[in-house]
């Protein structure tokens, strides 16, 4: 079965690695890619890591992108402008709760729009 993929962006690689571990405790099949820290593993974000994560997570049903801070969102937006933007949505939701809800909804086989709406509804 194909699932909606999830990309987790943070200024810290430890944050997104830990969040992925939390989600993997209950959801194993949904593609989850992380883009944490700079290319030198410092605090910050990497446009290249973000673009690669979106590409890898996009296995046919689209991708939802979650981020921690505003500059991570800016880099996510640039990644969409420079690369794959069809079937990719940046989600305005808390990183941890949003990504967890998205993984659960995606695991049910829902399409991109249904997962996106479920995250927004659950967290409003």
């Amino acid at each position: 079965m194909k699932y909606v993929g999830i990309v987790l962006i943070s200024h810290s690689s430890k944050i997104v690695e830990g969040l992925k571990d939390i989600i993997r405790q209950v959801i194993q099949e949904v593609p989850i890619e992380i883009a944490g820290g700079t290319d030198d593993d410092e605090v910050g974000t990497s446009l290249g890591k973000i673009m690669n994560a979106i590409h890898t997570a996009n296995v046919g049903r689209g991708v939802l992108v979650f981020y921690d801070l505003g500059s991570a969102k800016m880099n996510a937006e640039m990644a969409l402008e420079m690369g794959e933007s069809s079937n990719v949505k940046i989600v305005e939701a808390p990183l941890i709760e949003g990504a967890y809800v998205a993984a659960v909804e995606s695991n049910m086989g829902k399409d991109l729009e249904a997962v996106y709406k479920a995250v927004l509804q659950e967290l409003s």
Side-chain angles (χ1 to χ4, degrees), residues 28-77:
Q28 288 80 39
E29 301 299 320
V30 172
I32 301 171
E33 296 297 325
I34 59 175
T38 65
D39 292 330
D40 298 327
D41 288 324
E42 298 292 328
V43 173
T45 58
S46 162
L47 182 59
K49 282 184 176 183
I50 294 168
M51 290 179 73
N52 185 55
I54 291 169
H55 176 75
T56 304
N58 198 353
V59 295
R61 303 238 27 214
V63 175
L64 292 179
V65 176
F66 295 88
Y67 62 92
D68 62 354
L69 300 170
S71 59
K73 179 185 179 185
M74 288 180 0
N75 275 342
E77 290 170 339

Side-chain angles (χ1 to χ4, degrees), residues 64-123:
L64 292 179
V65 176
F66 295 88
Y67 62 92
D68 62 354
L69 300 170
S71 59
K73 179 185 179 185
M74 288 180 0
N75 275 342
E77 290 170 339
M78 285 195 321
L80 295 186
E81 289 174 13
M82 296 174 64
E84 302 175 39
S85 61
S86 62
N87 290 331
V88 180
K89 289 181 177 274
I90 299 171
V91 185
E92 301 286 337
L95 177 63
I96 296 170
E97 295 91 340
Y100 192 88
V101 169
V104 170
E105 296 291 324
S106 177
N107 194 56
M108 289 188 248
K110 294 181 178 181
D111 66 16
L112 181 66
E113 196 60 33
V115 175
Y116 179 74
K117 286 180 179 177
V119 170
L120 296 181
Q121 181 178 7
E122 181 72 27
L123 300 174

